[in-house]
Amino acid sequence: LDFSSSPFSRGQPRVGVDRGPDVIRAAGLVHRLHEQGCAVKDYGNLTFEEVVVDEPVGAVKCVRAVGSANQRLSEAVQNVKRDGHTSVLLGGDHSLAIGSIHGHSAAVGDLSVVWVDAHADINTPLTSPTGNIHGQPMSYLLHELQSKIPVLPNFTWIKPCVSAKDLVYIGLRDVDPEEHYILKLLGVKVFSMSAVDQLGVARVMEETCDYLSARVKKPIHLSFDIDAIDPSITPATGTPVVGGLTYREGVYITEHLCQTGLLSAVDMVEVNPLRGQTEQEVQSTVHTAVDLLLGCFGRRREGNHSSDYILPEP
Ligand SMILES: *[C@@H]1O[C@H](CO)[C@@H](O)[C@H](O)[C@H]1NC(C)=O
Ligand SMILES: *[C@@H]1O[C@H](CO)[C@@H](O)[C@H](O)[C@H]1NC(C)=O
Ligand SMILES: *[C@@H]1O[C@H](CO)[C@@H](O)[C@H](O)[C@H]1NC(C)=O
Ligand SMILES: [Mn+2]
């Protein structure tokens, strides 16, 4: 697998989320992936051109910076996929899902998207209560919302590439009324925290994969916002919401998706070391992000040994 990181923060107003990739690297992600048998290439930071004048367009903030950064990211992800690798994006804020999913789809065609998040991130530019694009990425990507998206500078390259029936949300617990309307209108499959409580995570994952592969098995794009996990475990993030997934539920989601053999790209976003109150809060958040990524690439909690191991004899 190959990963690139996007120290990008303009999709939301809080400083620090651009430091996410480096703290995840510093926690030894590459080394630990190597240890579990993955060939990894770190593409380093993507650098984005400085957009000097970026006045809001309607209520939407930093439109040009977000648009052009995602265009670069889309090209980078396309290159990783065309080289035949699994793509891992370390963010950065969740606006990066626009380029990540767009690039993935441009290279491989139709996708299934599993979006694990406290939030639905499906506001259109016209429904967004904040104007922050990290709360809007899915709206740009869905075919069904195309007619609701105004023309925005540096967004004209984006072609909608995901169908509502190929999208599943897990972990939602902070959904705006307009977003709730959109989810119902499009009939999007949603496992809110209530559904996780009711069904248990194993049943949620079984139903997610049955639903997504009912017609044809497509490559899976996992877009994981660290705020899906409960803030008692992952507090170092910009928009924490109480009542989230446990560490174990999060890891189970990644293990289950790994076992499908269809995982083709992963985003790990919204880790913000400056939002932790203590070093311990930052470390807990970062180590959880690393463990989720290890789960995506074959780590088994039951343990592992080499096939030619021989017990020593006295
Ligand atoms: C399992 O252990 C073997 C031998 O140590 C190692 O090569 C392999 O990468 C491990 N697999 C995982 C998923 O950790
Ligand atoms: C990424 O950029 C940061 C500065 O934003 C720098 O400190 C870090 O060394 C870079 N990491 C890599 C792997 O290039
Ligand atoms: C963004 O759009 C402006 C025109 O609105 C254009 O001049 C500029 O080159 C674009 N930037 C990028 C990086 O595409
Ligand atoms: Mn999100």
Side-chain angles (χ1 to χ4, degrees), residues 2-37:
D2 285 1
F3 71 77
S4 49
S5 67
S6 295
F8 182 79
S9 60
R10 296 293 174 77
Q12 51 86 61
R14 296 164 200 85
V15 295
V17 72
D18 51 348
R19 309 249 186 109
D22 283 323
V23 290
I24 294 172
R25 281 193 180 94
L29 176 63
V30 176
H31 173 70
R32 295 191 57 197
L33 285 167
H34 276 144
E35 272 182 348
Q36 63 182 51

Side-chain angles (χ1 to χ4, degrees), residues 94 115-121 134-135 137 224-225 227 239 269-270:
H94 218 163
W115 192 284
V116 185
D117 200 327
H119 313 91
D121 295 355
H134 77 157
F224 206 120
D225 188 322
D227 73 25
T239 51
V269 297
E270 300 282 357

Side-chain angles (χ1 to χ4, degrees), residues 226 231-236 247 278-290:
I226 200 68
S232 60
I233 308 154
T234 57
Y247 171 92
T278 62
E279 185 55 23
Q280 199 273 332
E281 287 195 359
V282 175
Q283 289 307 314
S284 173
T285 306
V286 171
H287 286 127
T288 301
V290 169

Side-chain angles (χ1 to χ4, degrees), residues 35-37 298-299 304-306:
E35 272 182 348
Q36 63 182 51
R299 188 174 87 115
N304 175 38
H305 65 269
S306 73

Side-chain angles (χ1 to χ4, degrees), residues 28-302:
L29 176 63
V30 176
H31 173 70
R32 295 191 57 197
L33 285 167
H34 276 144
E35 272 182 348
Q36 63 182 51
C38 302
V40 187
K41 177 174 174 194
D42 185 349
Y43 279 65
N45 296 330
L46 289 179
T47 51
F48 303 117
E49 77 189 67
E50 200 62 42
V51 178
V52 184
V53 180
D54 206 354
E55 290 302 312
V57 180
V60 189
K61 299 166 190 156
C62 303
V63 174
R64 295 160 195 83
V66 173
S68 67
N70 274 289
Q71 186 171 17
R72 275 228 54 209
L73 174 60
S74 171
E75 284 157 11
V77 172
Q78 286 178 56
N79 288 334
V80 170
K81 290 310 302 173
R82 294 213 167 98
D83 288 344
H85 305 296
T86 303
S87 162
V88 178
L89 162 75
L90 306 179
D93 75 60
H94 218 163
S95 68
L96 294 164
I98 299 170
S100 182
I101 291 175
H102 178 278
H104 186 190
S105 170
V108 310
D110 285 345
L111 304 175
S112 297
V113 175
V114 178
W115 192 284
V116 185
D117 200 327
H119 313 91
D121 295 355
I122 199 170
N123 271 295
T124 75
L126 303 178
T127 68
S128 170
T130 64
N132 297 322
I133 299 180
H134 77 157
Q136 309 170 19
M138 257 336 291
S139 76
Y140 302 100
L141 295 163
L142 283 170
H143 293 296
E144 288 85 350
L145 288 177
Q146 190 168 15
S147 66
K148 311 296 183 211
I149 306 295
V151 176
L152 296 174
N154 302 85
F155 269 65
T156 50
W157 58 274
I158 299 172
K159 299 282 171 288
C161 53
V162 179
S163 298
K165 66 176 180 8
D166 295 325
L167 170 63
V168 174
Y169 282 102
I170 300 172
L172 300 191
R173 57 193 183 279
D174 185 8
V175 178
D176 297 326
E178 298 83 354
E179 293 184 299
H180 188 253
Y181 176 85
I182 291 170
L183 293 172
K184 294 292 170 195
L185 179 72
L186 304 187
V188 176
K189 189 79 169 167
V190 174
F191 295 100
S192 68
M193 282 312 300
S194 305
V196 175
D197 287 341
Q198 187 189 353
L199 303 173
V201 71
R203 175 96 180 273
V204 165
M205 291 317 294
E206 201 180 312
E207 288 190 15
T208 294
C209 292
D210 285 352
Y211 174 82
L212 290 174
S213 61
R215 290 161 296 266
V216 52
K217 284 187 164 44
K218 294 186 270 289
I220 294 174
H221 187 111
L222 170 62
S223 204
F224 206 120
D225 188 322
I226 200 68
D227 73 25
I229 306 291
D230 193 78
S232 60
I233 308 154
T234 57
T237 188
T239 51
V241 187
V242 293
L245 298 169
T246 64
Y247 171 92
R248 280 158 53 185
E249 288 167 338
V251 170
Y252 187 89
I253 289 169
T254 62
E255 288 172 343
H256 191 96
L257 291 174
C258 175
Q259 281 166 29
T260 64
L262 294 170
L263 201 52
S264 174
V266 180
D267 310 323
M268 181 57 63
V269 297
E270 300 282 357
V271 171
N272 184 340
L274 298 190
R275 300 293 289 184
Q277 302 294 313
T278 62
E279 185 55 23
Q280 199 273 332
E281 287 195 359
V282 175
Q283 289 307 314
S284 173
T285 306
V286 171
H287 286 127
T288 301
V290 169
D291 287 353
L292 292 167
L293 288 164
L294 296 177
C296 289
F297 297 101
R299 188 174 87 115
R300 305 280 297 273
R301 285 177 287 176
E302 66 165 54

